[in-house]
Amino acid sequence: MTADRLTSVLLAGGGSAGHVSPLLALADCLTARHDGLQIVALGTAQGLEARLVPARGYRLETVPKVPFPRRPSGDLLRLPGNLNAAVKAAGRAIDAAGAQVVVGFGGYVSTPAYLAARKRRIPIVVHEQNARPGMANKLGARFSRHVGVTFGSTPLAGGQLVGMPLRREITHLDRAAHRAEAMAHFGLDPQWPTLLVTGGSLGAQRLNTAFEASVSGLSAAGIQVLHITGEGKDFTPADTGVGAPYKVVSYADRMDLAYSAADVVVARSGANTVCELTAVGLPAVYVPLPIGNGEQRLNATDVVAAGGGIVVDDADVSAEWVASTLIPLLSDRERLHAMAAAAASIGVRDGDERLADLVESAFATGGRA
């Protein structure tokens, strides 16, 4: 290990795109800053990281998945042994990499990484994606003075606002410059205002059902739609023969172009989605996932308070809601322009750079300041 130069960093996070995407964005940023830097990712063999990390060219080490039961069960009795095995596996990965800093993004993988790093007195950096922090990062924040949060309202001890590390194709996106390319890519018509509907890679059944029933009304109102339904959930929209087109795709691998085509977005309010939409300055209607611990509603708090979006309950999204509320909003160009400016005003485009600064500070100070 070279004491005066950053040569090796271990990044712990996995299980969902919410953890893996910022991990990869930080990895790219750090390797661009430091020639020859070794990045090792710590994840599980079952999560998205098992595919995405190697595909990006980074080494993946795995630890056993250790669920933290929220109620008495057999898993609770097995927790000490399972956690101990995961901490040992994390420690082996840290030692093999010669890691000088450990960065955790929350979730199952981060807890053993934090515990193994603390035992070795290796500086820890914590990044919390959601407005409501998870158990792993609450623990990690107790061990670190270098805690980055995505949202200013996140109640995490010592949290510094860094935003979300995002893909460069999003943070450097000029929507106006790519609009013509986006229209051609998706087969859209530039004469119409465009609504983007997306439930993420898995889709959102509530959105799919409500908008499938609203095709004719949106077309007749002169609102063009690009609807990303989720894998295996696409449908054939009714052909009205008149009005604006309605395009359905199950998946879009060029979300930068989807954002360039859009004037307004209806989406879930996962942390990554909220941060991407504010980074590119898109007004949005957020429909929080109605399960979990309510973090999706909290994720939208700051942008809604700024005037860059509105929140609608999942149960209220229907064809009737589209007709009575959404279509009038989409027709109010002055309000949408103001919402776009408000969204952009709180968007953070350099979250990867800010988090990389925290990593460098933790290394330089040994994690003490």
Side-chain angles (χ1 to χ4, degrees), residues 46-170:
Q46 299 82 27
L48 282 176
E49 64 274 16
R51 176 173 57 89
L52 297 181
V53 169
R56 189 71 72 90
Y58 298 110
R59 193 170 103 219
L60 177 70
E61 297 289 344
T62 61
V63 296
K65 183 176 179 180
V66 183
F68 285 79
R70 298 184 182 276
R71 57 181 61 88
S73 68
D75 285 338
L76 183 61
L77 297 176
R78 291 186 289 269
L79 177 60
N82 291 341
L83 181 58
N84 185 55
V87 171
K88 287 182 176 179
R92 288 193 294 269
I94 291 171
D95 294 341
Q100 296 155 300
V101 181
V102 169
V103 185
F105 292 85
Y108 297 126
V109 175
S110 292
T111 297
Y114 293 146
L115 293 171
R118 183 171 185 253
K119 183 177 181 180
R120 288 160 175 76
R121 300 184 182 276
I122 294 173
I124 293 169
V125 176
V126 176
H127 184 264
E128 175 56 54
Q129 293 85 55
N130 289 300
R132 175 174 285 164
M135 294 171 61
N137 280 348
K138 287 180 180 179
L139 175 68
R142 294 173 58 188
F143 303 156
S144 175
R145 297 184 183 180
H146 295 85
V147 179
V149 297
T150 297
F151 302 106
S153 56
T154 302
L156 194 59
Q160 304 175 48
L161 179 63
V162 299
M164 177 77 80
L166 299 171
R167 297 168 290 162
R168 290 296 177 99
E169 59 264 36
I170 299 298

Side-chain angles (χ1 to χ4, degrees), residues 161-309:
L161 179 63
V162 299
M164 177 77 80
L166 299 171
R167 297 168 290 162
R168 290 296 177 99
E169 59 264 36
I170 299 298
T171 60
H172 290 69
L173 179 63
D174 182 335
R175 291 197 299 119
H178 288 86
R179 185 172 176 84
E181 178 188 0
M183 292 290 171
H185 180 83
F186 290 108
L188 299 170
D189 188 333
Q191 72 170 302
W192 304 104
T194 304
L195 168 67
L196 170 63
V197 179
T198 175
S201 59
L202 298 179
Q205 191 57 48
R206 174 76 65 174
L207 300 185
N208 291 346
T209 300
F211 280 89
E212 183 176 7
S214 303
V215 171
S216 59
L218 287 160
S219 294
I223 297 164
Q224 177 173 243
V225 178
L226 172 60
H227 187 157
I228 304 172
T229 60
E231 292 283 9
K233 299 177 181 178
D234 53 325
F235 60 87
T236 301
D239 184 4
T240 62
V242 295
Y246 196 109
K247 298 289 183 178
V248 175
V249 296
S250 61
Y251 178 77
D253 58 3
R254 291 293 305 273
M255 284 303 294
D256 56 323
L257 293 183
Y259 292 156
S260 296
D263 297 295
V264 191
V265 181
V266 175
R268 292 297 193 200
S269 47
N272 216 61
T273 297
V274 173
C275 292
E276 288 191 349
L277 294 179
T278 54
V280 302
L282 268 169
V285 177
Y286 294 106
V287 185
L289 193 67
I291 60 176
N293 63 6
E295 73 271 9
Q296 283 210 355
R297 180 174 292 274
L298 293 175
N299 290 343
T301 297
D302 292 350
V303 63
V304 170

Side-chain angles (χ1 to χ4, degrees), residues 10-25:
L10 183 135
L11 309 179
S16 70
H19 293 143
V20 180
S21 294
L23 182 155
L24 291 173

Side-chain angles (χ1 to χ4, degrees), residues 283 332-342:
D332 189 342
R333 304 303 297 172
E334 184 174 338
R335 183 181 179 190
L336 292 180
H337 181 76
M339 288 177 68

